[in-house]
Amino acid sequence: MSRLVLNIERSILGQPWHWRGLAADARDPGFAPDDLITQLLLTRGCSREDLDAHRTPTIRGFMPDPSIFRDMDRAAERLADAVAAGEKIVVFGDYDVDGATSAALLILLIRQLGHDASPYIPDRLMEGYGPSGEAMVRLKRDGADLIVTVDCGAQAFQALDMAAAANADVIVVDHHKCAAELPKALALVNPNRLDEGEGAAHGHLAAVGVAFLLGAALVRLLRTRGWFATRAEPKLIDLLDIVALGTVADVAQLRGLNRAFVAQGLKVMAQRRNIGMNALIQASRLTRAPTCTDLGFALGPRINAGGRVGKSDLGVRLLTTTDPQEARDIAEELDRLNEERRAIEAEVQASAELIAAQTGNRAVAVIAGEGWHPGVIGIVAGRLKEKLGRPAIVIAIDEAGIGKGSGRSISGVDLGQAVLSAKEHGLLVAGGGHAMAAGLTIHTDQIEAFTAFLDERLAEGVAKSMEGRALLLDAVLAPGGVNPLLVESLEAGGPYGMGWPAPRVAAGPVRILKADVVGNGHVRAIVVGEDGRSLKAVAFRQAETDLGMALLGAPKHRRLWLAGRAKIDDWGSRPAAELHIDDAAWAD
């Protein structure tokens, strides 16, 4: 059966429209139509045997035995000993959302166990990514009996060598790509260790998910030791709001255990038990229960904002505070810093796009500039990746000629492994990451050689990914079918995110009644279908693209099909549905 939708072989953006999965053939003797949610689950890789588990993803249904991961039991034992003996524990986290949530989760759990732990979040601008040897030695000198790194450490060879020389006990909890050789640590828990066995099936977890599993192992071990004979046992389920935020913000694939983390975490978040999380929701001006989209586009960026502009510890402080006033103050400051971040980002974005337009069409767009703020280069890389349709790395060069880079990849292209290989070939000072994102440090005189290395290594994979590019659709309907009931029905197949894409529908054919540019280059349109029903549609950041110009210049009589995501617009007196446009095609 043809995969083409509406016989559209080339849309306005130059791509075919395909069904996400081939529909069952009604001529088959065993044919039985599936309901909408079953179709959504099946076309995202769920087997029929697992349908029930994926309809209502639960922790019990997806949680593995933490002991399957290498070093997990050793890490739990050392952490349990530290809690029982009242040792000084420091949680060393990365400065992004995954790092902040991972650190907050362990601190809150240790607090519930009757002990305490201190956070240490490095300054992005002064200390850079990951553990530094100087910081580890200083923490040991200041009395730390145990240091737990979260969302970093897998590549911290020099820092952990210095920590070992200072007799510091270090547990590494990470999810980034590992080399064949591992750094020195008391325990290194990471599903992406090359020597990982059964636990490798969970390599898509964010660091906060790995930290949650360590927490489960710790509570289980303390239970066997009788620790809860005289004290209440923590409810790990209450920490799932933090796990959900870190998982979505780190763009981890929402399959398997991650789906359960996010589905259940959103339920916990709706109860607003965490004082800091509640303040963050209020600062984000959300008046309803947060959705998966809110985690990625409203809450996550605000937690990130502190680390991006030099106030790295604000996120973990917010999520662990017990003082409502402090929570409000921090949340308001993060909101302000997020606005500051947006302005900085816009400047770097404009400069990077100009440079990108002048560079060749290599497999990976490597864009470098002097004086760019290193705190926004990851966001800019993501924007360039979306615009160019290929992996992008943005490098900020400082006065000493050292570049700090951040990259974002496309499906099927493992950028983190490529960056790790470049480091092993001597092209980078430091580097690592995971399939969809990577970070690096590079001397400016190596940028061209690094770009050529990526081109040779990834060209085939990038070409294959781009050749197979098609807009994938789940349903076709009349404009009147895009309504709140449809949105509610589609959400039942979630949570949606990386690896579990939100449903995309085609609506039409429609005529454009009105179209204009609003905000930062967004195209807003009011369209009407042959059913006489009108629909509001928005194409974000498309004003200067072929899609935006087609929408703005469409003749009144000419009809189009619009493809995008059906969303709820709750700005009016009552909720209405709107379409967030990804593409369009002429209907005649």
Side-chain angles (χ1 to χ4, degrees), residues 41 61 70 99 104 182 207 209 229 235 271 276 281 294 331 354 419 568 572:
L41 297 177
R70 289 190 178 274
L182 297 174
K235 293 182 179 179
Q271 299 170 15
I281 293 170
D294 295 325
L354 284 175
V419 166
I568 292 294

Side-chain angles (χ1 to χ4, degrees), residues 269-345:
M269 193 176 294
Q271 299 170 15
R272 303 201 179 193
R273 296 176 181 174
N274 184 293
I275 292 172
M277 189 79 77
N278 183 43
L280 184 66
I281 293 170
Q282 292 177 336
S284 301
R285 291 167 283 283
L286 294 175
T287 57
R288 47 167 172 72
T291 65
C292 196
T293 300
D294 295 325
L295 303 191
F297 292 96
L299 306 186
R302 285 171 170 80
I303 291 287
N304 249 337
R308 293 189 185 281
V309 296
K311 296 190 176 182
S312 303
D313 67 340
L314 288 179
V316 69
R317 283 175 52 199
L318 175 68
L319 296 174
T320 57
T321 186
T322 57
D323 182 345
Q325 185 57 54
E326 181 185 28
R328 285 191 291 272
D329 291 343
I330 296 175
E332 289 172 4
E333 183 172 9
L334 286 172
D335 186 54
R336 179 184 60 78
L337 291 173
N338 191 50
E339 291 302 316
E340 181 181 323
R341 184 270 305 169
R342 287 174 186 264
I344 297 171
E345 174 197 328

Side-chain angles (χ1 to χ4, degrees), residues 534-569:
S534 61
L535 174 68
K536 176 184 173 183
V538 184
F540 293 100
R541 295 185 297 275
Q542 295 289 337
E544 298 181 2
T545 68
D546 289 343
L547 174 60
M549 288 186 283
L551 295 172
L552 291 167
K556 297 291 185 183
H557 67 276
R558 198 163 184 196
R559 302 182 306 160
L560 303 96
W561 288 99
L562 302 179
R565 324 276 186 173
K567 298 289 185 179
I568 292 294
D569 175 14

Side-chain angles (χ1 to χ4, degrees), residues 348-369:
V348 176
Q349 178 78 28
S351 299
E353 287 186 359
L354 284 175
I355 296 173
Q358 300 165 5
T359 58
N361 192 31
R362 298 182 107 163
V364 179
V366 180
I367 310 299

Side-chain angles (χ1 to χ4, degrees), residues 357-387:
Q358 300 165 5
T359 58
N361 192 31
R362 298 182 107 163
V364 179
V366 180
I367 310 299
E370 295 182 356
W372 290 351
H373 197 298
V376 301
I377 55 177
I379 300 174
V380 174
R383 298 251 194 258
L384 283 179
K385 182 258 298 188
E386 292 296 329
K387 184 170 185 176

Side-chain angles (χ1 to χ4, degrees), residues 412-489:
V413 180
D414 192 335
L415 187 61
Q417 188 60 54
V419 166
L420 184 57
S421 295
K423 177 190 172 188
E424 293 171 347
H425 280 75
L427 296 173
L428 302 175
V429 176
H434 48 81
M436 300 301 291
L440 57 94
T441 302
I442 188 171
H443 291 290
T444 53
D445 59 5
Q446 291 279 31
I447 291 177
E448 183 56 37
F450 171 60
T451 305
F453 176 87
L454 293 179
D455 198 47
E456 179 180 352
R457 184 180 180 90
L458 298 178
E460 184 177 346
V462 171
K464 184 177 179 180
S465 177
M466 294 180 73
E467 284 173 7
R469 189 183 71 163
L471 194 77
L472 301 182
L473 291 158
D474 295 282
V476 175
L477 34 81
V482 182
N483 54 48
L485 180 60
L486 173 74
V487 178
E488 181 181 346
S489 299

